[in-house]
Amino acid sequence: MSFNALVVEKNDEGKTSASVTQITEDQLPEGDVTVAVEYSTVNYKDGLCIGPGGGLVRNYPHVPGIDFSGTVEASDNPKYSAGDKVVLTGWRVGEAHWGGYSQKARVKGDWLVPLPDGLSAEQAMAVGTAGFTSMLAVMALEDHGLTPGNGEVLVTGAAGGVGSVATAILANLGYEVAAVTGRPEQADYLKSLGASRIVPREELNETTKRPLEAETWAGCVDAVGGDMLARVLGQMKYGASVSAVGLAGGAGLPATVIPFLLRGVNLLGIDSVMQPYDNRVRAWQRIAKELPMDKLEAMVQPATLADLPELGRAILKGGVRGRVVVDVNA
C-alpha cells in the first residue's frame, strides 16, 4: 500500500528537486519501530535537505524532515507498542536517515521519546527541534545558576524558531527578556511572546576592540554566533552564561578569552541531535509544563507536504517567522 512522502532527487548534474511522491513501506529504511506520522515541522536543516543538501544528505533519493510526531504502528522494540504516541528529534534522521516528511517513518526505537502528558502530537511539532533546543538552552543556563532575579536575559535571533520559543519559555518562567532582531516589524510579535524590550540587531552585530564592555546580561540564548556572540560575551555579567545554539551569523568567533578569565563567563554548547535519552525526557516534560500553549499557537503557521519546497527555500533566506507545523496527511 502506497502513501505520500516528500522525496528529494538529485540529477546527473548535481541539482536537486523535491516533490510529493507515492512510496511504499518496503522502501523505508531499516529500524525496529514503524510510526504513522501525523505532524512534522520546518527547521533550517530541513531547508538545506529539501534544497542543496548542505552536505547533510548522504544518499538520494531522500526523504527529509528532522522532526516528527505520531503513533507507533508496529514495533520490535520493547520500549514501544502499537498505539503509543511518540516524538522524534535529532539522531540525524531527515539527514542521513529518511525522516518525517512522509505519512510513515521507520526508525530505531531508541531515537524516540514518549509524547509527554498534556502535549498533543500537533503541539509537539509546534515545539520541534527548535523548541526542544530552546528548553535545553534554558535548562543549561539554570543549571549554571541563572534565576529570574539576576537581571535581563538576552535572546539573539529572537524572531526565529529557537528564539521565539526561548523568549516565551523565559518570560513564562519570570525572566526579563531582551529580544534581539534585525526585523523591526517583528517587535509586536516578540512582545506578545513576553519580551520586555527589543534590541535592534545593529546594536550588537559589530565587533569592538574592547574585550569587555559594561556588565549587562544575566544570561543569553544565542542563535546567531559569529560577531554578535563575540560582542555579547564581553557584555555578560560576572559568572553569567551563554547557551550557544546556532550560527545564523557565522561559524567564526572573533573573540578573546578575557571574558572567561576576568568575569568567569561560561560559554555552553547546546547539542540537540545526540542528546542522551534522560535529558531529552526531562526537556520534553518541562516543555509540556512550562511553555505557554497560547504563546506557542501564536507562533505557528500550518503547512502541508506540498508547501515544503517553497518553505525550505524561505527558511534558508530567513523568511520564516516562528514555527511551521506540517500536517503530512493533509
Side-chain angles (χ1 to χ4, degrees), residues 250-264:
L253 185 59
T256 76
V257 297
I258 299 300
F260 309 121
L261 302 182
L262 298 189
R263 284 196 185 150

Side-chain angles (χ1 to χ4, degrees), residues 80 122 128 146 165 178 251 309:
Y80 299 101
E122 186 173 6
L146 180 67
V165 182

